[in-house]
Amino acid sequence: MSYEHKDFISSKCLTREEIGYILDQAKAFREINRREIKKVPTLRGRTIVNLFYEASTRTRTSFEIAGKRLGADVINISASSSSAVKGETLMDTVKNIEAMAADVVVIRHNCSGAVKFIADNVKAGIVNAGDGLNEHPTQSMLDLLTIEMAKGSLEGLTVTIIGDIAHSRVARSDIWAMKTCGMRVKVFGPPTMIPVAVDAFGVEVCRNMEEAVSDADVIIMLRIQRERMSKLLIPSEREYSAVFGLTPAVMEKAANNPIVMHPGPINRGVELSSVVADSGDSRILDQVENGVAVRMAVLTFIAVAKN
Ligand code: CP
C-alpha cells in the first residue's frame, strides 16, 4: 500500500488503507523524532514552502520542523508580511513560488475550497494546512494516530466531539476519517454551533453532556471559532462553559476511561478546565508530538510523488 496522489487536500477522499499507511509511516518517523539526532536525508535537495494566510502555532511550526528533519530546505511565508497585502492573489502567489522550483507548498487559507482550487491548477504538490471551515486533514491524521496509540486500535471506538462543530475544519476532517475507520462519532454543542446539514456527516447529535460523555472512549473538545462568526452565537462564555465545558465533574460521568484531546489553542476555563487539560487523561501534547511525525509522512509522500 502507498499514498500516490500529487496533493494532500482532504480526509474525505482517503481510503482506510491509505489512512493505515499514513499512520504506519508516521509511527516510524515518531521513533526518529525520539532519537538524539532527529534528522534523516529523505528530502535532501527538495524545497518546501509554508504559505500561511491565517495564524498558527502548532501546524506551521510542525510543518517546518518536519521538513527540516527530513533534510529539505523550508521557507515560511506569512501572508501579512507578503505581497498579498499589496493585492496579489493566492493563485499568483503560488505560481511565483512554483517558478522558484518549490516541490511542495503547504497552504493555510481562510477560504473553504481555496487550497483544492490551487492544487488543481499548479504542478507543485499542495498540502492543505486548513482551509476555512472545510478541512484540516493532517490534524485528523495526528488525531487518529494519537487515538490508536492510546487505545490500541480505531475500529469500534466511540468518539465524542464537543463544542463549535459548525465552524470547525478539525471536526469535519476528523469525522470523515473516523467514519472511514469504522468509528462511532457523536457530537454535542449549542444548537447554533451544530451544522444545519449534520445528518450528512453520519454522526449522532447528543442532547446533553451526560449523553455525550457517558460511553465515549475519546472526547475531543473544540474552541469557539470566533474568527468564522459574524456575531457571537452564545449568550456568554460563562453560560457556555457551564453547559458545554469539560470539567472533573463531567469526567466522572464518563464510564469508559476516555482520553481527552483538543487540537489547540485551548481556551482554558471556557471549553476545557485546566484540571482536565493537565490531567493524566489528557493526550493534548501527544497530539502535538504526533503532528510532527504525521507531517513528515505526508511531506515525504507528496515530495516523492511529484517526481
Ligand atoms: N491545531 C491547529 O491547527 O493549531 P494551530 O492553529 O496553532 O496551527
Side-chain angles (χ1 to χ4, degrees):
M1 188 58 216
S2 60
Y3 181 88
E4 291 174 357
H5 306 279
K6 181 179 91 62
D7 311 297
F8 193 81
I9 302 298
S10 164
S11 293
K12 197 174 183 181
C13 310
L14 296 173
T15 65
R16 178 65 182 96
E17 291 70 29
E18 285 172 333
I19 292 172
Y21 182 66
I22 292 164
L23 301 192
D24 286 346
Q25 296 298 303
K27 280 178 206 157
F29 283 121
R30 200 174 179 278
E31 295 311 311
I32 290 169
N33 289 335
R34 292 189 157 215
R35 292 181 192 163
E36 193 178 344
I37 306 297
K38 304 172 179 63
K39 203 150 179 161
V40 290
T42 314
L43 297 185
R44 191 163 56 196
R46 313 287 170 105
T47 302
I48 296 166
V49 176
N50 293 324
L51 176 60
F52 276 61
Y53 285 76
E54 283 188 334
S56 171
T57 296
R58 282 145 290 271
T59 311
R60 190 177 126 164
T61 308
S62 60
F63 268 113
E64 180 175 359
I65 290 173
K68 287 180 172 169
R69 288 200 180 151
L70 292 164
D73 296 308
V74 182
I75 290 89
N76 295 308
I77 303 175
S78 292
S80 58
S81 58
S82 78
S83 288
V85 297
K86 302 175 198 165
E88 190 166 39
T89 65
L90 173 62
M91 181 62 81
D92 281 338
T93 303
V94 177
K95 292 260 187 199
N96 278 265
I97 291 168
E98 191 175 43
M100 295 179 230
D103 297 288
V104 181
V105 186
V106 179
I107 304 176
R108 170 170 285 191
H109 200 278
N110 58 2
C111 179
S112 302
V115 182
K116 170 142 178 46
F117 175 71
I118 296 297
D120 290 344
N121 287 283
V122 301
K123 291 195 183 68
I126 302 294
V127 177
N128 185 359
D131 63 320
L133 50 73
N134 182 38
E135 283 230 38
H136 192 351
T138 55
Q139 178 75 42
S140 69
M141 296 300 104
L142 74 88
D143 285 349
L144 288 181
L145 179 58
T146 304
I147 294 167
E148 192 177 71
M149 295 191 74
K151 296 289 181 181
S153 62
L154 298 173
E155 271 75 8
L157 292 179
T158 296
V159 179
T160 300
I161 307 176
I162 300 173
D164 182 5
I165 314 294
H167 300 95
S168 173
R169 55 196 176 204
V170 174
R172 282 175 180 72
S173 281
D174 273 355
I175 290 167
W176 299 131
M178 287 170 181
K179 298 298 290 181
T180 300
C181 292
M183 301 164 84
R184 175 182 173 219
V185 184
K186 299 161 63 173
V187 299
F188 179 52
T192 49
M193 295 183 188
I194 298 294
V196 176
V198 69
D199 290 347
F201 293 98
V203 298
E204 298 165 39
V205 182
C206 301
R207 288 161 297 180
N208 55 57
M209 190 57 113
E210 186 158 0
E211 197 182 318
V213 303
S214 58
D215 59 354
D217 299 297
V218 178
I219 300 171
I220 298 179
M221 300 306 296
L222 299 174
R223 73 181 171 90
I224 300 167
Q225 312 258 314
R226 290 172 186 277
E227 69 273 29
R228 303 195 202 292
M229 297 173 190
S230 50
K231 59 179 184 208
L232 192 59
L233 297 174
I234 52 165
S236 73
E237 278 188 355
R238 191 169 51 82
E239 287 163 288
Y240 178 88
S241 182
V243 180
F244 302 102
L246 192 62
T247 60
V250 173
M251 286 298 284
E252 282 179 17
K253 301 179 201 289
N256 277 356
N257 193 24
I259 59 167
V260 174
M261 297 169 48
H262 192 305
I266 301 169
N267 290 126
R268 288 175 180 261
V270 181
E271 71 272 14
L272 187 57
S273 79
S274 280
V275 173
V276 178
D278 301 330
S279 72
D281 299 321
S282 171
R283 294 290 179 281
I284 294 169
L285 293 179
D286 293 349
Q287 291 174 268
V288 178
E289 177 182 3
N290 290 336
V292 177
V294 158
R295 284 158 185 144
M296 288 173 83
V298 169
L299 288 175
T300 300
F301 301 147
I302 302 306
V304 170
K306 182 180 168 288
N307 291 283

